[in-house]
Amino acid sequence: MNILLLGSGGREHAIARSLAKSKRLDHLYIAPGNAGSSQHGTNVDLNILDFDIIKSWSLNHKIDMIIVGPEAPLVEGIYDAIKADDETKHIAVIGPSAEGAMLEGSKAFAKKFMEEFDVPTAAYLEVTIDNIQEGKDYINNNAGPYVLKADGLAAGKGVLIIADAQEAISSLSEMLAGQFGQASATVVIEQFLDGIEFSVFALTDGKDYVILPVAKDYKRIGEGDTGLNTGGMGAVSPPPFVTSELMQKVESKIVQPTIEGISKRGFDYIGFVFIGLIRVDNEPYVIEYNCRMGDPETEVVFPRIQSDVIDLLEAASRGTLSEVQIDINPLSAATVMLVSGGYPEAYEKGKVISNIPTTSNSIIFHAGTKMSNDDLVTNGGRVLAITSFGENYKLALDSTKRIAEDIQFEGKYYRSDIGFDL
Ligand code: AMP
Ligand code: GLY
């Protein structure tokens, strides 16, 4: 198979590494990729939102499958663009249609979907400028904290959690007035759920599914889960609190009705469903859906998949997932992100990275890196994700932290407390 993988982060490096292990792979191309993905294939400089370019390039390179890493091309309709064209419709696309991607692209759409298919989630109210008074009344009539979510994609920044009712009301007005542009023209006000979060991933063909290894990520920049939100500072798979009893509830109360809903609504959905969950009184509730894999969760989830990943993806694209078993490494995996000083606010790029170990049982995933002449340099906020295995997540983290300490670049920062709450 010739495969084109879209994206440039640690997630895509991790997917590329798993694809490269498959005997089924002829050529792997990654657009645009990073210095790590180029260890497993050929990076190509394509604009992943220019679907005409992606289509003609894919035809010229006899691509059989396009795997979409990030959400933006999916929400913009890359699946539909490839399938609507007689010349490219034979290409398998891993990632849903624009309609299916609305599960991530619109919080209000996702809430209505969960309501219709009885998927447990926080109570909510959808608010626009037309029913702003109803929104204010909802806040006044319910106890805080208040969760305000911009309906559309807002680069991970569109969720505000506010303790005080008056403050929540003024934030609601600001959001509706365009604080997050068009993304907050609609706002979802949600009941606050208090619990521990985790991430479940299913690969689906739109009717059947396989569940991938469960993970927990750490989104805040500071130790003890403090400070600003980031894309993710580290992850553990599996988190020990996700018992098989809890996982059974997740499957029967959440994954099954979600996939049934996708099937009943008739979405073209061949790809990953990432379900952000929270455990409250030992019951799982959905915090959000995403239409792609998580980052950095992929850096612990994919290394634990021992099955041939191309076989899994092909079964999804052929609609034969019900015949597939997934083989998962029973060891624990943990990853820690090394980030640029200043991230998630302003940071500098182009810092030379040194002391990457060449012989180690750990995996060094590149997130924001590139080659500059003969130097490996930083090229993003999140720079490297160091994944290790162990009999438990603590042993895995011990190996990761030794390497995190050794690798050097100016401004390097990482959280040394990943897993602190487990
Ligand atoms: P989201 O973009 O929907 O994943 O929200 C971002 C973060 O806000 C989540 O990872 C949670 O930590 C938090 N959050 C979202 N919804 C709720 C909720 N209903 N109750 C408590 N925390 C929430
Ligand atoms: N790590 C969370 C995400 O990828 O959205």
Side-chain angles (χ1 to χ4, degrees):
M1 270 219 188
N2 294 326
I3 297 185
L4 172 62
L5 168 64
L6 304 184
S8 63
R11 167 180 54 208
E12 286 75 25
H13 184 181
I15 296 172
R17 175 179 172 275
S18 291
L19 294 170
K21 283 175 181 283
S22 171
K23 291 186 291 290
R24 311 270 322 280
L25 185 69
D26 290 321
H27 287 290
L28 173 62
Y29 301 93
I30 310 98
N34 62 34
S37 63
S38 65
Q39 297 163 16
H40 306 292
T42 308
N43 287 351
V44 280
D45 196 12
L46 300 176
N47 174 357
I48 65 172
L49 293 175
D50 187 335
F51 304 154
D52 287 335
I53 297 275
I54 300 283
K55 284 196 293 188
S56 59
W57 190 93
S58 297
L59 281 175
N60 287 337
H61 292 80
K62 302 196 162 33
I63 295 299
D64 303 297
M65 177 183 280
I66 297 177
I67 303 171
V68 186
E71 64 279 11
L74 295 166
V75 173
E76 299 285 315
I78 189 168
Y79 175 94
D80 313 83
I82 305 267
K83 296 296 167 183
D85 187 328
D86 279 343
E87 282 196 301
T88 53
K89 67 181 183 198
H90 66 279
I91 299 174
V93 178
I94 303 299
S97 62
E99 193 182 29
M102 291 269 283
L103 287 176
E104 172 162 2
S106 165
K107 305 265 187 204
F109 178 93
K111 291 301 263 190
K112 279 186 213 119
F113 177 94
M114 287 185 254
E115 206 166 43
E116 180 177 345
F117 298 104
D118 281 327
V119 178
T121 189
Y124 80 106
L125 179 73
E126 181 181 339
V127 186
T128 65
I129 201 71
D130 297 331
N131 68 337
I132 185 167
Q133 190 53 46
E134 204 185 335
K136 291 178 183 176
D137 293 345
Y138 185 92
I139 292 171
N140 279 326
N141 295 335
N142 286 281
Y146 306 95
V147 183
L148 304 184
K149 299 187 174 185
D151 177 56
L153 295 182
K157 299 194 170 68
V159 176
L160 305 180
I161 298 179
I162 300 169
D164 178 70
Q166 281 319 305
E167 247 178 78
I169 285 174
S170 55
S171 282
L172 174 64
S173 302
E174 281 168 34
M175 287 175 86
L176 292 173
Q179 186 182 0
F180 299 98
Q182 195 49 38
S184 62
T186 298
V187 171
V188 168
I189 308 177
E190 257 184 40
Q191 166 202 17
F192 178 82
L193 297 176
D194 196 9
I196 188 164
E197 289 177 55
F198 58 111
S199 305
V200 167
F201 302 91
L203 174 66
T204 184
D205 52 20
K207 56 181 201 309
D208 294 301
Y209 61 86
V210 291
I211 295 183
L212 308 184
V214 54
K216 176 173 196 332
D217 86 325
Y218 291 81
K219 289 202 183 75
R220 302 292 198 91
I221 188 71
E223 309 220 323
D225 283 348
T226 55
L228 294 174
N229 256 321
T230 71
M233 296 294 290
V236 169
S237 174
F241 71 89
V242 184
T243 58
S244 55
E245 182 205 355
L246 179 58
M247 213 46 218
Q248 268 160 21
K249 287 184 186 172
V250 169
E251 180 159 8
S252 63
K253 297 184 179 184
I254 289 168
V255 179
Q256 279 172 8
T258 296
I259 303 297
E260 233 174 78
I262 286 173
S263 167
K264 283 191 179 144
R265 288 264 191 109
F267 299 158
D268 280 333
Y269 202 122
I270 293 165
F272 301 104
V273 188
F274 163 0
I275 312 178
L277 295 162
I278 190 163
R279 183 192 67 175
V280 183
D281 296 332
N282 218 31
E283 288 294 324
Y285 293 83
V286 176
I287 291 278
E288 65 166 347
Y289 287 121
N290 296 299
C291 59
R292 52 172 173 88
M293 288 299 298
D295 193 352
E297 289 97 326
T298 306
E299 290 93 306
V300 288
V301 169
F302 266 58
R304 292 189 63 218
I305 301 176
Q306 290 173 324
S307 311
D308 187 310
V309 167
I310 297 184
D311 285 343
L312 291 174
L313 297 178
E314 191 178 46
S317 72
R318 291 193 170 159
T320 56
L321 266 186
S322 62
E323 296 161 21
V324 164
Q325 290 284 337
I326 181 166
D327 185 14
I328 293 172
N329 187 333
L331 290 175
S332 295
T335 200
V336 172
M337 274 284 176
L338 306 190
V339 305
S340 300
Y343 174 80
E345 297 185 283
Y347 57 84
E348 290 177 15
K349 293 182 184 178
K351 307 294 183 194
V352 174
I353 305 169
S354 61
N355 264 357
I356 294 196
T358 45
T359 56
S360 150
N361 291 326
S362 301
I363 315 167
I364 316 289
F365 289 120
H366 293 226
T369 66
K370 66 172 187 182
M371 294 306 293
S372 171
N373 301 319
D374 285 336
D375 287 328
L376 178 68
V377 300
T378 65
N379 192 39
R382 296 192 291 175
V383 177
L384 297 168
I386 303 158
T387 297
S388 307
F389 287 98
E391 290 293 335
N392 58 54
Y393 76 91
K394 284 188 183 153
L395 292 171
L397 279 168
D398 287 343
S399 306
T400 282
K401 279 194 262 185
R402 277 196 292 276
I403 296 172
E405 198 54 37
D406 284 349
I407 293 177
Q408 298 301 329
F409 58 87
E410 195 189 312
K412 176 186 80 175
Y413 168 76
Y414 64 91
R415 273 182 64 172
S416 62
D417 72 335
I418 297 303
F420 78 99
D421 54 346
L422 297 179

